[in-house]
Amino acid sequence: MRYSGFRVIAEALTGHKGWKPVWRDPEPQSEYDYIIVGGGGHGLATAYYLAKEFGQARIAVLEKGYLGGGNVGRNTTIIRSNYLLDGNEPFYEFSLKLWEGLEQDFNYNAMVSQRGIMNLIHTDAQRDAFTRRGNAMIMHGAGARLLNRDEVRAMYPWLNFDDARFPIKGALAQPRGGTVRHDAVAWGYARGADMRGVDLIQNCEVTGMRIENGRIKGVETNRGFIGAKKVGVAVAGSSSKVMAHAGMRLPIESHVLQAFVSEGLKPLIDGVITFGAGHFYVSQSDKGGLVFGGDIDGYNSYAQRGNLPVIEDVAEGGMALMPAIGRVRLLRTWGGIMDMSMDGSPIIDRTHVEGLYFNGGWCYGGFKATPASGWCFAHLMAKDAPHPTATAYRFDRFLKGRMIDEKGQGAQPNLH
Amino acid sequence: MIIHHPILGPRDAQEFVYLGDASLMDRPDGMTAGIEEFHEYLYQRGNPAGEHRELWYHEQGDRSWLVVTRNTVTHEITKVELARDVARAKGRSK
C-alpha cells in the first residue's frame, strides 16, 4: 500500500474503511540469512537498508515486545549533526542527509521538520569552543551559524538573557537540525522492510545464542531456535544482557534518562534550544506541548523510570532559562534506558564470534543517528567491512587509545 | 532513594556522588598487570540487570566511600557497607 494525497482524500470520503495493517505478523521460519535482534529504530532501519540498499534477502527482525516500544518511542525527537570530532561528525552528517530524504525514500510521513537547533553561549571561552565546533561542522558540510545576543533575542525575546550565573551571550545554530515524529520513523522503516519481504517477529525474546567453533549458528528464543548465517544485535539499553549470551562484557553501563512534556501551549518555540550549562533543552511539539529533558539520573538502572531529584533539577534549569514557564504544568514524564559507553560515542562493529555483529552504546543520542546507524550496520553485515563514516566506532578503540570523547570526561559513563 | 549509611543512618541519595561498579576498587598492580588487564578494569563492565554492587561517595556528608548493593531493576537497596571495611576484608591497607 502506497500513500498519496489522492488516497487520503478518497479514504476520507469513504469512511477510512480501506486502510489495512501496514505490515504482516509472520511466524518465524526455521532459518534466515540475517537476523536483527531488536525491533526499535536502529534494528528496523538496519533491516530496511539491508533489503533495499544491499539487496539481501531472508531477513528477520526479532523483537521482545512490540515494534518501536523502546527508546525510539521514548526520546525527545531531535535531529542534528553538530559534533566536533572526526570520528563523529561525518557519521552524524550522513545521518542528517538521510533524514532529509527519508520520507520520499520510504513513502511515509515522518514529519521531518528542519526547524533549527541552537546551543546557547554564556562565556567567551564557550564562544571560542563553539566557534571551533561550528567550523568543524562547516568543513564537513553540515552548516553552522554563530548568532550574537541580538540575533538570539530576535528569535526568542522571552529567554532570561541577564541571568546572573549564565547570561546569554549568543548561540551556535544549525539551521538544518530539527525534530521528527519519532514513532513514525519506526513505523515507516517497519513498513518499508515488510514490503521488501523482511519478517518482523514481535513478542520474540532472544534467550541464548548458538555458537559453534567460534561461528554463530542462530539464536534461541522463547519461540524456539531460529538459525541464521549472520546475527546483528541492536538493542541499546539492554546490550549487556543480550551480548552476555555470547560471553561478552561490554564497555557500557545502562542508565536511565528522563524526558518531559508540558500541557499544550500556544506556539512559543519554533526550533530547539539547548541550555547545556543548565542541563536543560527544549522544543515544542506540533500539539503545543513543551518537550524537554536534562541529565541522566546518574546511576546504573534498568528501570524505565527515574527519580524525583532529577525532575527537580531539570525544572530548575527550565525556570532559569525561561521564567515564563513558571505556571506551566507538567503533563507527563517518562524514562528510557541508555547504553552509556565509556567515551560517550557508539559502537558499530564485528565481535569475536564470526557472523555476530553489534550496534549499541548510543548514550542519549541514538535517535538522530537512526538512519545512518541502520545504513552503516547493514553495510557492515552485508559487506563485512565498516561504512566509511563509521570506521571509528570500534570495540578496540578503548584498548588502542582511540577514544571519541566529545566531552572529554574519560571512562565515567554517567558524566557523558 | 534512601541509603542507610552504616555510621550516619538513613541519608538521601542526593547527598552522594555515584562512581560505578564496586570492582573499580580492585585496581590491578601497575607494576605487573598488562595492558589487557587494565583495559578490562577501566573500560569493561558487568552491567547486570539485578543485584549490583556499586560505589557511592558521601560528598555532602562525612566524605566516606560506601559499597551499596542495589537492584538495578527495582532500585531496592539491600546492603550498605563502608568501602574501607570491604577493602580491609580483602586484605588491603594493612
Side-chain angles (χ1 to χ4, degrees):
Chain A
M1 176 169 45
R2 284 188 66 79
Y3 295 108
S4 65
F6 172 74
R7 182 76 196 277
V8 170
I9 294 166
E11 287 294 337
L13 295 173
T14 54
H16 291 289
K17 289 179 186 135
W19 302 116
K20 301 238 168 13
V22 290
W23 55 78
R24 300 164 293 130
D25 187 20
E27 284 298 311
Q29 296 173 27
S30 61
E31 198 190 353
Y32 292 93
D33 290 336
Y34 293 87
I35 284 180
I36 311 296
V37 184
H42 293 224
L44 293 168
T46 304
Y48 174 78
Y49 290 122
L50 262 178
K52 179 167 181 285
E53 302 296 334
F54 298 94
Q56 303 299 322
R58 298 214 309 154
I59 304 164
V61 175
L62 309 184
E63 166 56 44
K64 180 176 78 168
Y66 59 94
L67 296 182
N71 291 336
V72 74
R74 290 171 170 267
N75 58 75
T76 45
T77 78
I78 296 164
I79 59 169
R80 57 188 172 88
S81 64
N82 53 0
Y83 286 75
L84 170 70
L85 300 179
D86 286 343
N88 276 332
E89 182 58 13
F91 172 82
Y92 286 105
E93 176 52 24
F94 177 45
S95 200
L96 194 54
K97 287 204 171 73
L98 289 175
W99 281 119
E100 287 171 333
L102 184 68
E103 292 162 310
Q104 284 68 36
D105 186 60
F106 65 19
N107 180 238
Y108 200 84
N109 182 10
M111 295 164 69
V112 176
S113 168
Q114 293 182 288
R115 50 185 74 185
I117 181 168
M118 66 164 68
N119 312 132
L120 296 176
I121 295 170
H122 313 285
T123 65
D124 289 346
Q126 202 176 17
R127 184 185 288 110
D128 289 347
F130 280 24
T131 304
R132 181 180 173 219
R133 180 149 60 88
N135 285 333
M137 291 160 63
I138 290 166
M139 283 193 287
H140 285 107
R145 277 193 63 214
L146 200 64
L147 306 180
N148 64 30
R149 183 182 163 99
D150 290 337
E151 287 171 302
V152 178
R153 195 190 286 276
M155 291 174 73
Y156 302 115
W158 38 263
L159 289 177
N160 186 7
F161 284 84
D162 298 311
D163 182 83
R165 179 69 184 85
F166 295 117
I168 296 168
K169 302 286 191 187
L172 176 65
Q174 185 180 27
R176 288 167 62 233
T179 61
V180 179
R181 171 82 174 95
H182 53 348
D183 293 318
V185 176
W187 301 332
Y189 277 126
R191 171 173 166 277
D194 180 83
M195 282 166 62
R196 286 168 178 82
V198 174
D199 282 356
L200 307 175
I201 300 164
Q202 305 180 65
N203 299 310
C204 184
E205 181 176 3
V206 169
T207 55
M209 293 186 189
R210 192 175 293 179
I211 296 164
E212 289 169 15
N213 299 323
R215 190 172 175 86
I216 194 87
K217 293 290 176 187
V219 293
E220 308 284 352
T221 76
N222 57 352
R223 296 170 71 168
F225 174 77
I226 306 175
K229 293 191 176 71
K230 292 183 175 180
V231 174
V233 176
V235 295
S238 301
S239 294
S240 296
K241 279 201 281 187
V242 174
M243 296 312 280
H245 296 313
M248 290 180 72
R249 271 159 63 87
L250 304 180
I252 285 170
E253 289 179 2
S254 294
H255 285 257
V256 62
L257 175 68
Q258 302 191 63
F260 312 85
V261 169
S262 78
E263 59 186 327
L265 305 174
K266 288 185 177 177
L268 178 69
I269 305 172
D270 62 354
V272 182
I273 306 171
T274 77
F275 175 36
H279 309 277
F280 176 82
Y281 65 92
V282 62
S283 65
Q284 188 169 19
S285 78
D286 293 342
K287 282 191 288 188
L290 300 181
V291 183
F292 57 98
D295 281 339
I296 56 176
D297 274 33
Y299 43 81
N300 287 42
S301 175
Y302 281 93
Q304 283 181 319
R305 56 180 170 75
N307 273 321
L308 285 169
V310 167
I311 297 178
E312 185 181 21
D313 183 60
V314 172
E316 284 172 355
M319 279 298 291
L321 181 69
M322 313 165 53
I325 62 169
R327 293 194 176 186
V328 173
R329 283 165 296 190
L330 209 56
L331 196 63
R332 280 178 288 141
T333 80
W334 65 95
I337 304 305
M338 314 288 117
D339 268 11
M340 296 304 296
S341 68
M342 293 292 148
D343 59 359
S345 294
I347 295 162
I348 304 175
D349 201 2
R350 285 175 283 239
T351 67
H352 70 288
V353 179
E354 209 180 325
L356 177 63
Y357 303 82
F358 176 75
N359 175 334
W362 291 99
C363 299
Y364 37 75
F367 178 69
K368 74 177 100 62
T370 304
S373 167
W375 188 300
C376 293
F377 200 34
H379 185 285
L380 177 71
M381 290 181 70
K383 302 192 168 190
D384 248 319
H387 186 272
T389 65
T391 53
Y393 296 150
R394 300 163 59 95
F395 271 116
D396 66 2
R397 66 176 186 263
F398 302 101
L399 185 63
K400 301 277 174 67
R402 295 179 188 276
M403 270 75 78
I404 315 164
D405 194 341
E406 288 274 345
K407 280 179 80 178
Q409 298 283 23
Q412 193 57 54
N414 61 339
L415 298 183
H416 282 293
Chain B
M1 292 188 291
I2 301 291
I3 295 174
H4 288 269
H5 193 296
I7 298 169
L8 302 175
R11 309 300 309 182
D12 193 318
Q14 283 305 102
E15 295 176 6
F16 293 79
V17 174
Y18 179 83
L19 182 66
D21 197 304
S23 66
L24 290 167
M25 291 169 70
D26 306 321
R27 186 173 62 200
D29 183 346
M31 301 304 285
T32 57
I35 223 167
E36 265 86 15
E37 208 175 322
F38 262 101
H39 169 256
E40 187 71 21
Y41 161 77
L42 185 58
Y43 295 113
Q44 302 286 72
R45 299 285 189 273
N47 194 23
E51 198 168 90
H52 187 228
R53 295 184 81 221
E54 54 201 21
L55 288 165
W56 291 75
Y57 174 57
H58 199 190
E59 187 177 45
Q60 294 173 47
D62 69 345
R63 306 280 177 102
S64 60
W65 283 93
L66 304 183
V67 175
V68 176
T69 306
R70 187 178 59 94
N71 189 310
T72 57
V73 178
T74 63
H75 295 171
E76 184 192 10
I77 293 171
T78 48
K79 193 174 181 185
V80 183
E81 305 152 89
L82 287 173
R84 186 177 61 196
D85 294 342
V86 174
R88 280 188 178 148
K90 291 178 182 173
R92 298 249 301 273
S93 301
K94 275 184 177 166

